[in-house]
Amino acid sequence: MKILLIGSGGRESAIAWKLEQSERVEKIYVAPGLGGVAGKVENIGIGVSAFDELLDFSKKENIDLVVVGPELPLVWGIRDKFEKEGIKVFGPRKREAALEGSKKFAKEFMDKYDIPTAKYETFTDAVKAKEFARTLRFPLVIKADGLCAGKGVIIAKDEEEALRAIDGILVHQLFGEEGKEIVIEEFLQGIEASLLCFASNNKLYPMESAKDYKRIFDGDEGPNTGGVGCYSPSQLFTDELKDIIEKDVLNKIEKGLEGEGMDFTGILFIGFMIDGNSPKVLEFNVRFGDPETEVILPRLKSDLADLFVKAVDGNLNKEDFQWEDIETVAVILTSAGYPGSYKKGEEIKGIDSLSDDIIVFYNGTLDRDGKLFTNGGRVLTLVAKAKTREEARAIIYKEIPRVNFNGMQYRGDIGK
Ligand code: AMP
Ligand code: GLY
């Protein structure tokens, strides 16, 4: 089969790597493209939002399945458009993608179906929002409703910060249309963990769990990033907690999807705040996580192309998911300055000298004249797998110094 994979980051690099291992996959086209491609993978240079061009390409090349990495094309309705033309897409339609595209929609869904989450109110009016914020305990959390590239959530530690955030979003329109409404919610204590589920016709099939590191510096210091390290599984997910999550969260989500007359097929990524045995949902994403995908897919024994096709055709089973009993640790090499401004175009050396124990995924790189250059804030993701997380961690930190580029930075405490 021929697949068109949409996206260009470490997540898509991991999806392409896993799909390439499938005997039934003949070709993987990537739009716009990935670093380090060879074999069955080919970059086509079309942007993720150029739906007409992507559709023309899919028809011309007889694409059997489109797999969507990032949220934007899903929220904008890529599946709705493509399936009208008879092209299969792994990913939810616009209506279901609103579970990520609108925080208000997601909160109302959780409220209606009694899914545990932080208490909240929504506002379009800054005066009312401020009045409400003044009655709450701090810290509190203020979220722009729409997609803000990971920047739309503000944790306000006191009244002054809360009022500034409300003004910023509702009055000064920092996020434009995406911020014409806000959610104000209580701050939850606990530890964060992610659970990604395959979804097919509103039934959820949880994959292995993962723990993402969002802050740039060791010890969770410094600003938030897109994620600079990860490991799988998360030790928080004991059998007891998994049972609670199934009963209190997954079953209720399935019921909610049915109750709303939705039809969710794709990935539902659930971000949790976990306090003991009490899981609360922070957010939904309607796509694979980055960097979660880079630690989860190397543990999957099953054929990923098979899973995508079965999900889209509506005949997925629990037994289709086979996992390797190993642990994975990923460390992301970033450009100096990230998540602020950073330089691009630094030559990357040493990838060929990494041991075979390391899997390399390409977040932001550029191939030119047989050399590899940095082309993003997150540059490369290195993944090690071993019997235990400690072993995987030892391997990864022994190998990283073989790679270098000017300004290379990474956290030294992933998986500790
Ligand atoms: P979200 O995009 O809604 O997941 O928010 C981004 C990040 O903000 C989360 O990964 C958490 O670290 C933090 N966050 C969001 N909501 C809350 C909350 N209610 N309590 C504590 N932290 C939160
Ligand atoms: N790692 C968080 C995300 O993909 O949104």
Side-chain angles (χ1 to χ4, degrees), residues 103 107 117-119 140-141 143 150 152-155 185-189 192 212 214-215 224 271-273 281-285:
K103 300 217 184 256
K107 293 297 286 192
T117 188
K119 289 199 207 77
L140 60 80
V141 187
K143 301 182 175 184
V153 175
I154 295 125
I155 308 217
E185 69 179 32
E186 68 173 322
F187 179 83
L188 297 175
Q189 306 284 349
E192 278 183 64
D212 176 15
K214 289 203 164 89
R215 304 289 190 129
N224 263 325
F272 283 104
M273 186 68 88
V281 177
L282 286 177
E283 63 166 343
F284 293 127
N285 296 311

Side-chain angles (χ1 to χ4, degrees), residues 3-305:
I3 294 178
L4 171 60
L5 172 62
I6 310 236
S8 62
R11 161 182 57 206
E12 289 77 14
S13 183
I15 295 171
W17 169 85
K18 185 65 189 166
L19 284 174
E20 213 181 348
Q21 295 165 21
S22 167
E23 282 183 11
R24 63 190 291 187
V25 174
E26 168 197 339
K27 186 90 195 175
I28 305 157
Y29 294 103
V30 188
L34 295 168
V37 299
K40 297 178 190 175
V41 188
E42 186 181 324
N43 293 334
I44 63 167
I46 305 176
V48 304
S49 54
F51 286 4
D52 288 333
E53 268 181 87
L54 291 170
L55 191 56
D56 285 346
F57 179 88
S58 304
K59 286 182 186 164
K60 198 173 98 231
E61 295 297 334
N62 292 315
I63 295 296
D64 299 290
L65 180 69
V66 178
V67 175
V68 187
E71 60 277 15
L72 268 181
L74 294 166
V75 171
W76 289 342
I78 192 168
R79 165 140 167 233
D80 310 57
K81 183 171 172 99
F82 278 47
E83 72 185 354
K84 272 196 206 123
E85 307 274 342
I87 294 170
K88 289 183 183 176
V89 176
F90 179 79
R93 296 188 189 98
K94 189 172 181 165
R95 174 155 186 242
E96 291 78 16
L99 285 170
E100 175 165 2
S102 165
K103 300 217 184 256
K104 177 184 178 187
F105 180 74
K107 293 297 286 192
E108 287 174 350
F109 177 85
M110 289 188 256
D111 216 16
K112 183 162 174 190
Y113 293 96
D114 194 29
I115 296 160
T117 188
K119 289 199 207 77
Y120 76 103
E121 293 280 341
T122 62
F123 297 91
T124 51
D125 180 76
V127 177
K128 292 202 178 109
K130 288 181 193 171
E131 263 168 33
F132 177 70
R134 286 198 184 94
T135 67
L136 300 177
R137 283 207 325 210
F138 292 91
L140 60 80
V141 187
I142 296 167
K143 301 182 175 184
D145 177 54
L147 292 179
C148 305
K151 297 190 171 67
V153 175
I154 295 125
I155 308 217
K157 69 173 186 311
D158 53 32
E159 190 176 310
E160 190 193 326
E161 281 188 11
L163 302 190
R164 203 179 325 127
I166 292 168
D167 272 338
I169 304 174
L170 289 179
V171 180
H172 305 300
Q173 300 175 357
L174 278 181
F175 303 112
E177 279 289 292
E178 302 295 321
K180 65 180 194 303
E181 190 144 16
I182 58 171
V183 173
I184 300 186
E185 69 179 32
E186 68 173 322
F187 179 83
L188 297 175
Q189 306 284 349
I191 307 179
E192 278 183 64
S194 325
L195 185 66
L196 280 69
C197 302
F198 259 75
S200 176
N201 298 342
N202 295 341
K203 260 203 76 54
L204 299 179
Y205 303 84
M207 291 187 264
E208 292 290 309
S209 59
K211 156 77 186 160
D212 176 15
Y213 290 73
K214 289 203 164 89
R215 304 289 190 129
I216 186 73
F217 299 127
D218 284 31
D220 283 336
E221 299 284 341
N224 263 325
T225 69
V228 290
C230 209
Y231 63 79
S232 174
S234 155
Q235 74 276 27
L236 290 177
F237 283 74
T238 57
D239 286 341
E240 193 183 355
L241 183 65
K242 282 188 201 163
D243 286 344
I244 293 172
I245 286 178
E246 178 161 343
K247 192 167 109 307
D248 271 0
V249 180
L250 303 187
N251 291 351
K252 289 180 181 174
I253 293 173
E254 291 176 343
K255 211 171 133 215
L257 294 170
E258 284 295 312
E260 295 303 295
M262 296 206 240
D263 174 13
F264 198 117
T265 293
I267 299 292
L268 184 69
F269 164 145
I270 310 169
F272 283 104
M273 186 68 88
I274 296 182
D275 189 4
N277 270 335
S278 157
K280 289 198 172 152
V281 177
L282 286 177
E283 63 166 343
F284 293 127
N285 296 311
V286 298
R287 43 142 183 107
F288 279 103
D290 195 349
E292 287 85 349
T293 310
E294 291 95 306
V295 289
I296 291 173
L297 291 185
R299 299 186 55 212
L300 179 68
K301 282 201 270 189
S302 321
D303 182 316
L304 185 62

